[in-house]
Amino acid sequence: MGHAVTLARWIGTGRRPVTPGRVLRKADVPAAGAALGVEVPARLRTMADIRELNRPWCVAVATGLLEVGDGWVTAGPALEGWPPGDADLLAGWLAGLRAVCAAESYPQDEDSVRLLALALLTVLGEDGTPGAEGLWRPVFEALQVLGDRYDKRAWESLAAADRYGEPENGKPLAGLVVLLAGFGAVAGDPGRPAITPLGRWAAGHLADGMAGPADPGLPAGEMIAEAAGFGDEEEQDHVARAWLAGRKPVRAAREILAAAESMSPLRRSVAVRLVEALGDDALPAWREVASARCVGPFARAVLAAWDHGPEPGDADGDWLGVEGAAAALEDKGPDEALSRVWESITGADLDDRLAAVRATGHPDADALARAVAEFAASGAPRRIDQVAQLKVSLAGWRPTIWRRVLVPAVATLGDLHVVIQVLFGWDGDHLHVFDVGKKQYSDPFVNLEETGDEDAVRVRDVMEPGGTIAYTYDLGACWEHEITLEKTLSRDSRQDYPVCVAFRGDSPVEYWDEEEPEEPGPFGLNEVNRRLAALGREP
């Protein structure tokens, strides 16, 4: 914590640029190292490789001592009043430890080091703790238990443990002990570490925010509230799994739907999805609530999907659109709620759409319309009025092949997938995946393991100016693309979007045959933009 404060004071009242990875640029790293007394190697890939710098940096950002955004770092609001009271200081300490664990975790699971640290603290908190050389087996066994509890694969934590080991000294967890000692969670002889009172407190709170199974004895409303505390659907399912297993599907569906009727739209969306996952076993429960005010529109849509009822009318469609926008208002704020209203409610302009929102009779309609109208009148930038300028490059290709395209800022990754198919002339017959930091997204209908729903994530939510994400098409041939958000522009009402504005290189041959080689097809800008414009006009 002391080094984190020193870093924030070194930034002072000015600001310094950061990389797309949200750390200091290489040119500023030596000065930061000097401020902390940390030696910086002459050859440096990124500041993140220097633990003695990156750890206090992560703590400073997590505690609000530093603020990173829009390509810059400045001193955060927490610095002026530092140190805070004991409760806030303890919360900041825990946030900093969790941030460091996330930064050093296995790429596909930011909880892997946190779980490893929790396993070590659990073992150290037991009687008869072995020395450092004998810690590996009990920590491994503790990882198995924790992995089952929080639906985590222990092998990811084991892979993360490799970076902390000193196998030549017979101390496979030496580096992890050093990490926790730096936070004051362990103390004593490095060969026989002992947990401190602070470490015991951390052992009881380090798992906060990780999805554990809900008590099967909870009322449905409390189980839904626990599940709704997580934005990831797999985590929600893990919370609910034991609760659902203790009941027959139709009973579980009845309890959940009864509780959902009086819930907020955000929690109701979680409840409805849990019941939908029960399949046709839940049909009797859906029939029973088909006339209910709040879950009824969902029930009618589900029954129609199972051919057990007529197709919902426009009134139900608008009601569900308002429900989704109200859930977005609760979850992400008025800008996202405005985007949902704009997409799901028809009208000549925003006033028409908000009038249609109020006419639905949804219990949250007036509050939603008021919040959206106030946001629109505030003068704050509206994402529906913005476009993202993206450069999509085919990785590892010489000479280079790239396309510069403008897409609505509210476009989803699923929309972007379709755009890339047009830009490069792919036929769309293969699987694809987006890599966004430590998460992956793909088409939800193909159930690609360990990927999120690309249709539920907007480009604006996963990219900052100068930042990049990756897109791989055809997981066999692996056509890899790098996508860079170059800048955000105001939308031109006279222009159709998406639109390709620049390019280099012809379209590659998707199915290359050495025996019958083909020349790359010429890139036709006009034809590509005709196809892109058609995408923008699709309902």
Side-chain angles (χ1 to χ4, degrees):
M1 292 291 287
H3 278 183
V5 174
T6 300
L7 265 181
R9 288 177 175 156
W10 171 71
I11 295 292
T13 57
R15 64 176 187 170
R16 292 180 183 265
V18 296
T19 69
R22 299 170 66 86
V23 296
L24 288 171
R25 297 187 309 174
K26 287 190 284 187
D28 289 325
V29 172
L36 297 185
V38 173
E39 185 176 350
V40 174
R43 296 175 66 99
L44 177 67
R45 187 182 67 90
T46 170
M47 190 195 87
D49 292 339
I50 306 175
R51 285 181 174 175
E52 296 83 354
L53 271 178
N54 199 53
R55 284 174 177 173
W57 175 271
C58 291
V59 172
V61 174
T63 55
L65 289 164
L66 290 176
E67 283 192 340
V68 178
D70 297 326
W72 298 90
V73 59
T74 60
L79 181 61
E80 184 176 350
W82 196 266
D86 290 347
D88 289 339
L89 184 61
L90 196 57
W93 179 91
L94 182 63
L97 176 57
R98 290 176 57 175
V100 171
C101 289
E104 299 184 7
S105 281
Y106 186 77
Q108 300 306 323
D109 186 355
E110 65 178 16
D111 292 325
S112 54
V113 170
R114 179 158 54 134
L115 207 66
L116 185 65
L118 180 57
L120 176 57
L121 290 174
T122 300
V123 170
L124 292 178
E126 297 171 348
D127 293 334
T129 301
E133 296 85 350
L135 281 172
W136 181 247
R137 180 170 293 279
V139 167
F140 175 80
E141 291 171 352
L143 271 176
Q144 307 299 312
V145 175
L146 292 170
D148 289 342
R149 182 181 304 162
Y150 298 110
D151 197 27
K152 301 288 186 180
R153 293 170 307 217
W155 70 265
E156 292 179 337
S157 293
L158 296 175
D162 289 344
R163 70 193 66 181
Y164 299 113
E166 294 181 5
E168 67 278 3
N169 298 327
K171 298 177 180 178
L173 295 171
L176 186 63
V177 171
V178 171
L179 168 61
L180 293 175
F183 277 88
V186 300
D189 182 346
R192 186 170 290 278
I195 191 168
T196 66
L198 187 57
R200 290 186 185 278
W201 180 87
H205 294 83
L206 200 54
D208 292 353
M210 293 173 65
D215 184 341
L218 286 177
E222 293 183 25
M223 181 277 291
I224 295 167
E226 285 192 18
F230 301 92
D232 183 87
E233 291 183 358
E234 289 186 2
E235 291 178 317
Q236 294 171 1
D237 292 342
H238 179 64
V239 170
R241 189 168 296 130
W243 190 93
L244 292 170
R247 295 160 172 78
K248 290 184 178 180
V250 69
R251 176 192 165 193
R254 285 176 174 134
E255 291 183 28
I256 292 173
L257 291 173
E261 177 66 19
S262 59
M263 287 185 157
S264 72
L266 183 59
R267 290 188 178 181
R268 187 157 49 238
S269 68
V270 174
V272 166
R273 193 188 64 77
L274 291 174
V275 177
E276 286 178 328
L278 297 174
D280 60 355
D281 287 336
L283 286 175
W286 285 119
R287 293 191 191 96
E288 291 163 9
V289 299
S291 60
R293 183 186 184 192
C294 292
V295 297
F298 289 103
R300 293 190 287 274
V302 169
L303 291 171
W306 284 93
D307 294 327
H308 284 262
E311 287 295 319
D314 291 342
D316 277 347
D318 285 349
W319 196 98
L320 292 172
V322 172
E323 175 87 346
L329 178 64
E330 183 181 355
D331 187 28
K332 296 183 178 180
D335 193 9
E336 176 63 18
L338 169 58
S339 299
R340 296 289 188 94
V341 168
W342 199 265
E343 293 168 338
S344 60
I345 306 296
T346 57
D349 54 23
L350 182 58
D351 287 341
D352 276 357
R353 286 175 165 87
L354 294 183
V357 165
R358 295 185 180 93
T360 61
H362 190 287
D364 293 278
D366 287 342
L368 170 65
R370 184 167 55 254
V372 169
E374 289 175 354
F375 173 74
S378 70
R382 309 189 317 180
R383 295 289 183 165
I384 61 170
D385 299 328
Q386 299 174 346
V387 293
Q389 179 175 301
L390 304 174
K391 183 178 181 181
V392 186
S393 305
L394 197 57
W397 199 269
R398 294 294 181 274
T400 58
I401 299 177
W402 55 262
R403 314 284 186 248
R404 180 169 287 118
V405 62
L406 304 180
V407 302
V410 294
T412 66
L413 291 181
D415 297 329
L416 184 55
H417 157 68
V418 178
V419 168
I420 294 173
Q421 293 290 301
V422 174
L423 290 174
F424 287 88
W426 306 130
D427 66 13
D429 285 343
H430 302 281
L431 297 176
H432 66 275
V433 65
F434 287 92
D435 285 277
V436 180
K438 296 180 179 180
K439 296 185 178 180
Q440 293 186 313
Y441 299 91
S442 191
D443 185 341
F445 292 102
V446 301
N447 294 319
L448 196 61
E449 190 175 351
E450 298 176 22
T451 61
D453 180 357
E454 66 184 11
D455 295 323
V457 181
R458 299 189 192 275
V459 171
R460 75 182 193 196
D461 294 330
V462 296
M463 301 191 74
E464 293 183 352
T468 63
I469 61 176
Y471 167 83
T472 302
Y473 169 66
D474 188 343
L475 303 189
C478 289
W479 295 95
E480 296 182 353
H481 308 69
E482 182 181 83
I483 305 167
T484 303
L485 174 56
E486 295 183 319
K487 56 185 174 181
T488 301
L489 304 169
S490 296
R491 188 174 189 131
D492 185 344
S493 61
R494 300 163 297 178
Q495 174 65 57
D496 289 326
Y497 297 98
V499 59
C500 181
V501 295
F503 70 96
R504 182 171 182 176
D506 291 328
S507 299
V509 178
E510 182 168 354
Y511 299 103
W512 177 258
D513 188 337
E514 291 186 358
E515 296 182 358
E516 298 182 14
E518 298 178 52
E519 290 296 320
F523 183 81
L525 182 61
N526 290 336
E527 174 59 19
V528 164
N529 277 333
R530 185 191 66 78
R531 294 177 61 195
L532 290 176
L535 293 178
R537 290 190 291 269
E538 289 180 0

